[in-house]
Amino acid sequence: MTDTPAVRLTGLAYVPRWIGGVACYITFGIGGLLSSLTILPLLRFWPGTELERIRRVQQAVHIMFRGFVYMLTWTGVIKVSPVNIARLASAKGRVVIVNHPTLVDVVVLISLMPNAGCIVKQGIWRNPFMRGVVACAGYIPNRGAELLLEDCRHVLKSGTNLIIFPEGTRTVLGSSINSFARGAANIALRTKTDLLPVVLRTDAPGLSKQEAWYQIPRRTIGMRVEVGETIDHIRYDALAGGNAKMARQLTRDLENYFKTNLEHDETT
């Protein structure tokens, strides 16, 4: 990124940032719990088709996440700069592939996409603050491979975009990306779904896997959300050797795409 990084706060100047950042997370947790007990069940069970009910909840989560991103921006924790965002707004039934540099990546993505779902790890389903949100929004639990694939097929067929982080966890500090797992490629190929790559670029460290949630960054994290062009799954159907070979090739291509973009960014 070419923008000048924000000033690093020290001493007493950092105290308002820390208080504001922690307050954002507390508000997010309490808001998730209250909404899962009130407005989200109401939207989920209001008359309409199953798809209409889920879409209402997803729209509500989108609005709440936009509010959370606004709070993080106002307190100086992050600053989001979207590029080619119209590609996200017009996407339907796409596998959205994203790298994972920070704790708030999925929140930022859903704040920009009213029509989005994701695969949620079991720990979130056991979290009392978030369990109601993910259940009402029709997000997919990370369970057995065949059940997971069937859930993904159902979600994508409905026109909902599916956000997947092939790294599996947040990027290790000092690396451009972690190695990609083949799960995202397998889902795209076996459901015959096109992919939409989104590169998240950050200009300051913070909110990483190696840091606790309350370690609020001293420098505002500039996050550039760069939406790439659609990758057609059909181009991989021409490969010989079956799904396993196609998934390996697609995974390598995706990993190289993100590495090339992110490493080029570091040298400019």
Side-chain angles (χ1 to χ4, degrees):
M1 299 173 68
T2 58
D3 295 340
T4 303
V7 175
R8 185 178 187 276
L9 300 179
T10 57
L12 291 177
Y14 172 64
V15 174
R17 166 75 56 79
W18 185 86
I19 293 174
V22 170
C24 286
Y25 288 122
I26 293 174
T27 301
F28 182 77
I30 295 175
L33 178 60
L34 292 178
S35 63
S36 68
L37 296 174
T38 55
I39 184 66
L40 295 185
L42 179 63
L43 293 173
R44 182 71 174 86
F45 296 108
W46 197 263
T49 66
E50 179 184 3
L51 180 58
E52 288 171 340
R53 296 196 299 266
I54 290 176
R55 287 280 171 81
R56 285 196 293 260
V57 175
Q58 289 177 348
Q59 179 71 27
V61 172
H62 162 69
I63 293 170
M64 289 189 294
F65 282 13
R66 283 183 65 181
F68 180 57
V69 171
Y70 175 82
M71 288 191 296
L72 290 173
T73 302
W74 185 75
T75 55
V77 178
I78 63 173
K79 180 181 179 182
V80 178
S81 303
V83 179
N84 296 324
I85 199 64
R87 294 173 179 169
L88 279 183
S90 62
K92 289 185 178 181
R94 296 286 184 267
V95 175
V96 181
I97 303 296
V98 195
N99 60 308
H100 200 0
T102 80
L103 177 65
V104 297
D105 297 336
V106 71
V107 176
V108 170
L109 261 293
I110 293 177
S111 77
L112 297 171
M113 299 178 67
N115 181 25
C118 56
I119 298 171
V120 180
K121 61 185 180 181
Q122 293 294 334
I124 298 295
W125 285 89
R126 293 190 294 267
N127 185 321
F129 295 100
M130 293 303 297
R131 180 174 56 211
V133 176
V134 298
C136 289
Y139 295 166
I140 300 171
N142 190 359
R143 45 187 183 164
E146 290 304 318
L147 290 173
L148 175 63
L149 182 63
E150 188 56 36
D151 287 341
C152 291
R153 183 178 287 110
H154 177 73
V155 166
L156 292 164
K157 188 177 180 180
S158 74
T160 297
N161 299 298
L162 185 60
I163 299 171
I164 299 181
F165 298 97
E167 293 176 89
T169 187
R170 277 170 279 168
T171 309
V172 175
L173 281 176
S175 302
S176 57
I177 57 169
N178 301 328
S179 297
F180 278 16
R182 291 199 295 269
N186 274 313
I187 289 170
L189 293 172
R190 295 183 65 181
T191 61
K192 299 187 181 302
T193 303
D194 294 338
L195 304 97
L196 188 65
V198 179
V199 177
L200 300 183
R201 309 176 191 272
T202 56
D203 63 1
L207 307 179
S208 68
K209 184 72 172 177
Q210 288 73 38
E211 297 168 309
W213 65 269
Y214 53 81
Q215 291 180 276
I216 307 301
R218 292 176 178 270
R219 180 179 288 124
T220 298
I221 299 174
M223 180 181 290
R224 183 180 172 94
V225 183
E226 185 174 314
V227 186
E229 296 183 358
T230 298
I231 299 172
D232 298 328
H233 78 277
I234 195 69
R235 75 173 71 168
Y236 292 89
D237 287 349
L239 293 176
N243 286 332
K245 181 175 181 179
M246 290 191 293
R248 285 195 297 271
Q249 184 61 52
L250 177 53
T251 301
R252 282 195 296 267
D253 290 349
L254 288 171
E255 187 170 331
N256 288 335
Y257 173 90
F258 280 86
K259 274 185 178 179
T260 300
N261 277 274
L262 292 166
E263 290 175 358
H264 172 75
D265 186 62
E266 291 173 355
T267 60
T268 58

